[in-house]
Structures are given as structure tokens and as C-alpha cells.
Amino acid sequence: MIINAARGGIVNEDDLLKTTTPIIYCTDVYQNEPHINPAIVDFSFICTPHIAGHSQEAKITAVTWISDKLHLHCGLPQASPIQFSPTQHTHFTQYETWEKNILKLYSPLNETLSLKEATNKELAFLTQRKAHQNRHDFSAHAGVELNQQIRQIMGI
């Protein structure tokens, strides 16, 4: 099994497609995004639209980092932190497995099927990615009641 959630060029997709070894390939990143190779989508068990940096928390982190660097470079006092509070919470239950609770936040199945069925993979990739503009990181759900095992897995 290979899970590629890092950078598109880390896995050589051409070589992967030539392998004769049975392999389960899951990916969120592709070479030459958004011009993704339809063959790698077909080959993948799970394929999603590279959404790691598309959560509201990731965007705030990026803006804060740039702001801090600019303030430092210009000799200005550091700006006040951005105050952010998610407006939605997902209801978790201690009676379900952590896997089922996590899948309530995000299940890659629908996007995988949609990407695999799309005639225009590039358009499907871009459309799916754009749909994640208001998504939250797992850490945004820290205020809800979660058992300790789920908190550890989610990093909160």
C-alpha cells in the first residue's frame, strides 16, 4: 500500500502504472496538478482533490505566517492573532468506532467515485477542490465531546 499525501512528484506515477506488483494506491496529490493523469485516477483505490491546504484553519495559518514575516521584515510590532471560531460542529458519539466518527467529518468515497467517473478529470479535480473552501481541520472539532482515543487520533 502507498498513501501519497505529500507532494505530487514524490511518487513517480509513470513507474507506478507499470508495476506488476499488486498494490493499493491512495493519493491526494498528483504530478502536474491540475492536469492530472486519468490513468493514475483509474489506478488509485482512493483519490481526492489535494485539499490539505484548503481548510479555513490552514488558510489562517498561512496568512498569519506571512503577516508575521512581513511585520518582522518591516520592523513593525507583531499583529494580533486572528480570532477564529468554527461555526459548525459534528456530533460524535462514544458508541461508534473512531473510524466512523472521523468519516462523519470527511469521507473520501464520494470524491473518489466522482473523480473516477468524470470525463474531464482536470475540471472535476478543480471543482472538487473548490468545494472545500469552508472545510475545517479535525482540530476545529476539539470543542465537541470526544473520547480520548478519538482525540489522540485527530491530534487534539
Side-chain angles (χ1 to χ4, degrees):
M1 174 178 268
I2 297 174
I3 299 173
N4 187 8
R7 293 282 180 251
I10 289 179
V11 171
N12 183 319
E13 293 176 354
D14 293 332
D15 287 346
L16 183 63
L17 292 170
K18 294 175 189 171
T19 187
T20 57
T21 304
I23 195 162
I24 296 172
Y25 184 60
C26 304
T27 190
D28 183 60
V29 295
Y30 308 84
Q31 291 175 335
N32 306 313
E33 290 178 19
H35 312 290
I36 60 178
N37 182 348
I40 205 69
V41 171
D42 292 339
F43 182 85
S44 300
F45 180 71
I46 294 176
C47 49
T48 55
H50 195 173
I51 60 171
H54 288 264
S55 70
Q56 290 185 15
E57 291 78 12
K59 291 173 187 173
I60 288 171
T61 298
V63 168
T64 300
W65 184 83
I66 292 169
S67 174
D68 288 349
K69 296 294 181 191
L70 286 172
H71 280 80
L72 180 66
H73 178 77
C74 295
L76 299 171
Q78 206 163 20
S80 300
I82 298 171
Q83 298 299 315
F84 177 74
S85 177
T87 56
Q88 295 178 328
H89 287 292
T90 299
H91 177 70
F92 293 105
T93 174
Q94 62 184 352
Y95 303 108
E96 290 186 300
T97 64
W98 68 264
E99 294 95 337
K100 286 184 180 179
N101 281 310
I102 296 295
L103 289 172
K104 285 182 181 179
L105 293 177
Y106 176 71
S107 175
L109 180 61
N110 290 338
E111 287 180 334
T112 295
L113 293 175
S114 177
L115 197 53
K116 285 180 175 288
E117 292 172 356
T119 306
N120 184 330
K121 305 291 189 217
E122 180 179 340
L123 179 61
F125 173 88
L126 291 169
T127 301
Q128 288 180 1
R129 180 186 262 184
K130 189 174 183 177
H132 286 275
Q133 290 185 18
N134 295 314
R135 182 179 70 82
H136 292 285
D137 286 347
F138 288 151
S139 62
H141 299 275
V144 297
E145 291 295 319
L146 299 173
N147 71 33
Q148 190 57 36
Q149 180 187 22
I150 295 171
R151 286 183 175 281
Q152 278 185 310
I153 291 165
M154 293 175 66
I156 55 178

